[in-house]
Amino acid sequence: QQKVQQSPESLSVPEGGMASLNCTSSDRNFQYFWWYRQHSGEGPKALMSIFSDGDKKEGRFTAHLNKASLHVSLHIRDSQPSDSALYFCAAYTGNYKYVFGAGTRLKVIA
Amino acid sequence: GGIITQTPKFLIGQEGQKLTLKCQQNFNHDTMYWYRQDSGKGLRLIYYSITENDLQKGDLSEGYDASREKKSSFSLTVTSAQKNEMAVFLCASSTAIANSDYTFGSGTRLLVI
């Protein structure tokens, strides 16, 4: 059973649009999250972390965490074709380990 | 900048065969990981090693062995390849600081015929 659920499984947005990806944890002990992005044929690359309630902004990317609802989201504004990739949410479980969600496949249509 | 290298990039094996995948990193990271990536299932942890002489099982360790030969290298062995198995094996490394991100290699793509 996945301890981190991601939605939607896939998402298409027009170039310049906003993409919103969601992640829900089933374990209240998960308090620290990373978002990763994986382009085809490559390994995942870390995008940004979040561990405080509220928003964290890095350029076009904004992560949001709501610890009460165990919900994390990633919003990409002004989406570019190069943002097309598989996005993973990862929750820190302790002992230097993370549990990953199944991923959301984003396609940005030019 | 550092690099994490996985070899081979592609591996075709036969059913029942023992197969070894290798990973090298030059970040001087203490912690190394092996994950399996299957479509629709995300990344599942097979083995990890917190320090050079440490080895710990993940959720998916059955059917695999691992070895941390030195700080910079971590290998994974599929003890008996399953017919029609197809997956990507990802190696990652990290500093020994809680909550640190991982740096991943580009993966070894396995196909068992």
Side-chain angles (χ1 to χ4, degrees):
Chain A
Q1 182 183 358
Q2 286 279 1
K3 292 185 176 180
V4 174
Q5 301 282 348
Q6 287 189 245
S7 64
E9 286 186 18
S10 63
L11 176 65
S12 291
V13 299
E15 183 176 359
M18 172 77 84
S20 294
L21 291 67
N22 299 294
C23 175
T24 302
S25 165
S26 61
D27 191 326
R28 196 160 291 280
N29 293 316
F30 297 167
Q31 296 280 301
Y32 203 102
F33 298 86
W34 274 93
W35 283 99
Y36 285 81
R37 178 165 76 177
Q38 184 181 29
H39 287 110
S40 182
E42 299 178 5
K45 288 184 172 62
L47 274 177
M48 62 189 298
S49 64
I50 187 164
F51 61 92
S52 296
D53 271 327
D55 292 337
K56 180 180 179 182
K57 186 178 178 182
E58 292 187 2
R60 296 185 295 110
F61 298 85
T62 300
H64 177 81
L65 173 60
N66 182 325
K67 290 186 181 181
S69 62
L70 306 180
H71 183 254
V72 187
S73 57
L74 179 70
H75 305 278
I76 308 171
R77 66 170 176 81
D78 189 24
S79 296
Q80 301 298 306
S82 59
D83 294 326
S84 297
L86 185 58
Y87 288 77
F88 292 105
C89 169
Y92 185 67
T93 65
N95 200 28
Y96 306 100
K97 291 189 297 179
Y98 285 87
V99 61
F100 286 77
T104 291
R105 188 166 297 279
L106 173 65
K107 184 173 183 179
V108 180
I109 303 166
Chain B
I3 190 168
I4 182 164
T5 303
Q6 291 187 237
T7 55
K9 290 190 185 305
F10 298 95
L11 184 55
I12 299 176
Q14 295 187 324
E15 185 181 14
Q17 195 175 5
K18 187 174 179 179
L19 303 167
T20 298
L21 291 65
K22 294 189 179 293
C23 178
Q24 295 260 2
Q25 52 94 4
N26 63 0
F27 293 99
N28 200 35
H29 283 164
D30 290 296
T31 311
M32 296 186 74
Y33 306 81
W34 277 105
Y35 279 88
R36 176 179 166 130
Q37 182 174 16
D38 296 276
S39 179
K41 292 185 180 178
L43 309 181
R44 292 181 289 172
L45 183 62
I46 305 172
Y47 270 97
Y48 66 111
S49 169
I50 297 174
T51 60
E52 187 172 342
N53 296 312
D54 176 74
L55 188 63
Q56 305 208 26
K57 293 182 177 181
D59 297 327
L60 205 65
S61 62
E62 188 171 337
Y64 302 94
D65 285 326
S67 174
R68 184 83 181 266
E69 296 86 3
K70 50 187 176 181
K71 187 174 183 179
S72 62
S73 66
F74 194 31
S75 61
L76 180 73
T77 298
V78 180
T79 56
S80 179
Q82 301 297 304
K83 189 173 175 65
N84 297 323
E85 183 174 6
M86 189 167 67
V88 176
F89 292 86
L90 291 165
C91 176
S93 69
S94 176
T95 62
I97 299 172
N99 305 332
S100 292
D101 64 310
Y102 293 170
T103 301
F104 281 91
S106 57
T108 292
R109 282 147 185 82
L110 171 67
L111 175 63
V112 181
I113 56 175

